[in-house]
Amino acid sequence: IIYKMARCDKARSIAVGFMTALVMGLVLLLWFGVDVIRQTMVSRSDILLLFVLLWVIGGSMDYFDQCYTTCSSLKSSVKYGTFVVALIYLVFVLFIGDIDLSMKNLVVFLLNVVIITGLHYVSCEITHKTK
């Protein structure tokens, strides 16, 4: 099997975003359970908004990964980790609520960047290959 590097494939990013939204939606459903969701009286429009947000986040992450990162580059992985965590925090602030600017939250933000950076650095070769 011959592999080549995937570069800026919008259709792939849309598909990856959709699959991410489905998987994350299922994980959230299993985590909280149907009863908890019904008790909180989450409307169908709230669920649809959450699905769309997860789709946008997943698609944006994949597109940024394809177009703006390179493998075997710690600098590129740090850039990806920073982008992903900033995107998630931005969506949280825009749609959920404010985040207090405290040392604890800064440490959590930086820890998230380190984890995502590490995951990207380790898995980059695998995720950039296509047939």
Side-chain angles (χ1 to χ4, degrees), residues 3-13 62-73 76 79-80 120 124-125 127-131:
Y3 291 99
K4 63 178 180 174
M5 297 298 284
R7 297 305 294 173
C8 298
D9 184 357
K10 291 178 186 174
R12 173 197 149 140
S13 294
D62 184 69
Y63 190 77
F64 188 87
D65 182 34
Q66 289 183 67
C67 299
Y68 301 106
T69 64
T70 56
C71 294
S72 301
S73 167
S76 183
K79 183 170 59 171
Y80 178 75
H120 181 267
C124 185
E125 294 291 333
T127 60
H128 280 104
K129 290 182 180 178
T130 60
K131 288 184 180 182

Side-chain angles (χ1 to χ4, degrees), residues 10-93:
K10 291 178 186 174
R12 173 197 149 140
S13 294
I14 291 169
V16 166
F18 183 77
M19 293 304 295
T20 299
L22 286 178
V23 169
M24 290 302 298
L26 181 61
V27 166
L28 289 172
L29 181 64
L30 293 174
W31 181 274
F32 291 111
V34 176
D35 292 334
V36 171
I37 293 172
R38 284 186 184 151
Q39 289 174 358
T40 57
M41 302 194 12
V42 174
S43 68
R44 291 178 192 214
S45 61
D46 292 337
I47 294 170
L48 181 61
L49 177 63
L50 178 63
F51 182 80
V52 169
L53 289 175
L54 291 173
W55 191 349
V56 168
I57 290 171
S60 298
M61 288 170 54
D62 184 69
Y63 190 77
F64 188 87
D65 182 34
Q66 289 183 67
C67 299
Y68 301 106
T69 64
T70 56
C71 294
S72 301
S73 167
L74 185 59
K75 182 179 178 182
S76 183
S77 293
V78 169
K79 183 170 59 171
Y80 178 75
T82 304
F83 170 78
V84 167
V85 174
L87 177 66
I88 292 169
Y89 276 65
L90 176 65
V91 168
F92 185 89
V93 167

Side-chain angles (χ1 to χ4, degrees), residues 89-126:
Y89 276 65
L90 176 65
V91 168
F92 185 89
V93 167
L94 290 175
F95 294 98
I96 308 292
D98 293 333
I99 298 174
D100 295 328
L101 294 176
S102 65
M103 185 56 92
K104 178 183 174 186
N105 286 338
L106 179 62
V107 169
V108 170
F109 179 87
L110 293 175
L111 184 60
N112 285 329
V113 170
V114 168
I115 291 169
I116 298 296
T117 296
L119 288 172
H120 181 267
Y121 189 79
V122 170
S123 67
C124 185
E125 294 291 333
I126 297 166

